[in-house]
């Protein structure tokens, strides 16, 4: 962890469970204090996607040697998936959980295996941006929580478009925002049609 407080609590829990011989904690910004080959699995959760991409990029030498990486980005999910694809990391499995009104994506990634995202996009006929936005494993499995997510996203986009039509923003920004939302709605509807 980057903060001492969570590490101290982790050490207390480790001591309570008598696992000190098996678990070591480190104060580190991402993978900075880990040498390549030192670990074979990592879990990164509870942060935004852009920070996660930064950690993965800076720690590329360590990440490339992992057998398994579990990530749970809380935002910028399309950017995270695009990054994984650009690095040619295989997303082996993906789950989507709805808890307390919030959606939590969980990806199991194998950095040493070759990505199949582009081939899925080609075979399915779906644009790569759509696949990055919603996840090829979720689309292939027609995940029920993805369906709920798409419904909520559609309602949100439509509500914002309705608000924009009331003219509460500058004309140039309104036109730009409307274009973005229409593209998002189009992508959303294509994903919804695919999983039905």
């Amino acid at each position: 962890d980057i903060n001492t407080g969570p590490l101290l609590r982790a050490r207390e829990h480790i001591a309570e469970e008598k696992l000190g011989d098996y678990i070591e904690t480190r104060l580190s910004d991402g993978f900075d204090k880990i040498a390549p080959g030192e670990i074979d699995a990592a879990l990164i959760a509870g942060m935004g996607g852009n920070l996660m991409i930064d950690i993965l990029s800076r720690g590329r030498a360590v990440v490339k040697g992992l057998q398994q990486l579990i990530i749970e980005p809380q935002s910028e999910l399309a950017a995270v998936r695009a990054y994984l694809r650009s690095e040619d990391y295989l997303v082996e499995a993906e789950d989507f959980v709805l808890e307390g009104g919030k959606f939590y994506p969980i990806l199991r990634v194998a950095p040493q295996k070759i990505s199949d995202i582009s081939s899925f996009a080609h075979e399915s006929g779906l644009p790569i941006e759509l696949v990055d936005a919603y996840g090829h494993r979720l689309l292939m499995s027609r995940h029920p929580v993805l369906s709920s997510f798409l419904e909520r996203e559609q309602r949100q986009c439509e509500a914002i478009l309705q608000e924009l039509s009331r003219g509460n923003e500058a004309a140039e920004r309104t036109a730009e925002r409307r274009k973005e939302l229409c593209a998002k709605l189009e992508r959303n509807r294509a994903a919804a049609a695919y999983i039905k």
Side-chain angles (χ1 to χ4, degrees), residues 1-12 27:
D1 203 300
I2 195 169
N3 298 306
T4 55
L7 278 181
L8 290 173
R9 283 190 299 282
R11 287 179 188 141
E12 289 170 4
L27 186 64

Side-chain angles (χ1 to χ4, degrees), residues 161-180:
L161 281 169
Q162 200 168 43
E163 187 65 31
L164 289 175
S165 68
R166 295 187 180 117
N168 294 338
E169 290 188 34
E172 185 177 315
R173 176 65 185 134
T174 299
E176 181 183 317
R177 183 72 173 129
R178 182 175 284 121
K179 183 179 176 182
E180 291 169 3

Side-chain angles (χ1 to χ4, degrees), residues 64-131:
K64 288 278 187 186
L66 297 176
Q67 296 297 315
Q68 188 175 138
L69 171 66
I70 307 294
I71 58 174
E72 185 267 320
Q74 296 191 346
S75 62
E76 298 97 20
L77 190 50
V80 171
R81 288 192 188 106
Y83 173 80
L84 296 172
R85 179 174 44 80
S86 73
E87 292 295 311
D88 210 19
Y89 296 163
L90 176 67
V91 176
E92 290 184 308
E94 185 167 1
D95 202 357
F96 212 14
V97 177
L98 175 58
E99 180 69 35
K102 293 186 178 184
F103 292 91
Y104 298 96
I106 305 160
L107 293 80
R108 186 178 74 216
V109 180
Q112 294 187 1
K113 296 182 180 175
I114 297 172
S115 173
D116 60 350
I117 296 171
S118 295
S119 60
F120 169 78
H122 178 74
E123 290 167 12
S124 66
L126 297 173
I128 196 72
E129 296 80 17
L130 183 150
V131 176

Side-chain angles (χ1 to χ4, degrees), residues 44-62:
I44 306 175
M47 64 188 69
N50 287 334
L51 177 56
M52 195 170 286
I53 291 168
D54 179 60
I55 289 169
L56 293 171
S57 296
R58 286 185 296 109
R60 185 177 282 112
V62 173

